[in-house]
Amino acid sequence: MKHPLFIVCFCLIVITARSQVLSDDENKLYELMMTYRRENGLSRIPLSSSLTFVAQTHVKDLAHNKPDLGSCNAHSWSSKGNWSACCYTEDHAQARLMWSKPAELTSYKGYGYEIACGSNGCCSSFIMTAEYALSSWKSSSGHNAVIINKGMWNRDWKAVGIGIYKGFAAVWFGHESDDQ
């Protein structure tokens, strides 16, 4: 009699492990971003477990391992994880290494495009908020264009992932739906 119950509990654990849960701040950022998109005549972007995993992993890497110091920016990844290290510089020379992170870390089939906010270069005690992140991105023409599909980003997003941790926020966008 105990075996069927054990199987049911085991299945629930497996299902929970596959889904990414948003914190209250991450959920707030998602809702604020979707409201902003609606104000610009755009539809909601479905949340992606895969892209959320990448976003949450990246903000933790930024906070703990500080790959954004020196000539690297907040799109950089350290060598201290189960991924390829990447020093992302202002000339975008490593763009493909960044774009391929979702496929490297998850079963997501397409490229991911990230907007990130935060820095280890200053303000080490700063705690990121959803409002601060969105305000920062809205005031940057390049980041804003990604959010509202303008210019070179004039193609619908079909998946989005959110991560906020300590002094960092990251949002990953994808043109392919997340099948998970």
Side-chain angles (χ1 to χ4, degrees), residues 22-40 42-45 47 115 128-138 144 147-148 160 162 164 169 171 173:
L22 295 182
S23 70
D24 289 343
D25 284 338
E26 290 165 338
N27 190 57
K28 186 174 195 176
L29 178 55
Y30 174 72
E31 291 303 330
L32 287 171
M33 192 171 293
M34 294 308 111
T35 298
Y36 179 57
R37 285 178 55 80
R38 186 178 65 244
E39 291 167 354
N40 283 274
L42 300 166
S43 61
R44 289 178 74 84
I45 308 168
L47 269 171
I115 57 175
M128 184 62 65
T129 66
E131 294 88 355
Y132 182 90
L134 184 58
S135 175
S136 174
W137 292 324
K138 285 168 65 173
N144 191 55
I147 297 169
I148 60 171
V160 67
I162 310 284
I164 296 179
V171 178
F173 298 86

Side-chain angles (χ1 to χ4, degrees), residues 45-113:
I45 308 168
L47 269 171
S48 158
S49 292
S50 296
L51 294 181
T52 295
F53 176 81
V54 174
Q56 291 174 346
T57 300
H58 193 209
V59 292
K60 288 175 184 168
D61 181 47
L62 286 163
H64 292 293
N65 300 316
K66 303 174 180 13
D68 64 317
L69 294 178
S71 63
C72 307
N73 67 28
H75 297 302
S76 300
W77 290 72
S78 76
S79 61
K80 298 178 180 175
N82 192 21
W83 53 74
S84 303
C86 172
C87 176
Y88 200 98
T89 52
E90 295 304 315
D91 64 2
H92 307 285
Q94 299 297 325
R96 289 200 186 277
L97 267 176
M98 189 260 289
W99 297 342
S100 65
K101 285 295 178 256
E104 185 177 348
L105 297 171
T106 71
S107 62
Y108 189 74
K109 306 237 185 296
Y111 279 154
Y113 305 94

Side-chain angles (χ1 to χ4, degrees), residues 109-125:
K109 306 237 185 296
Y111 279 154
Y113 305 94
E114 178 189 48
I115 57 175
C117 185
S119 172
N120 282 304
C122 75
C123 324
S124 61
S125 62

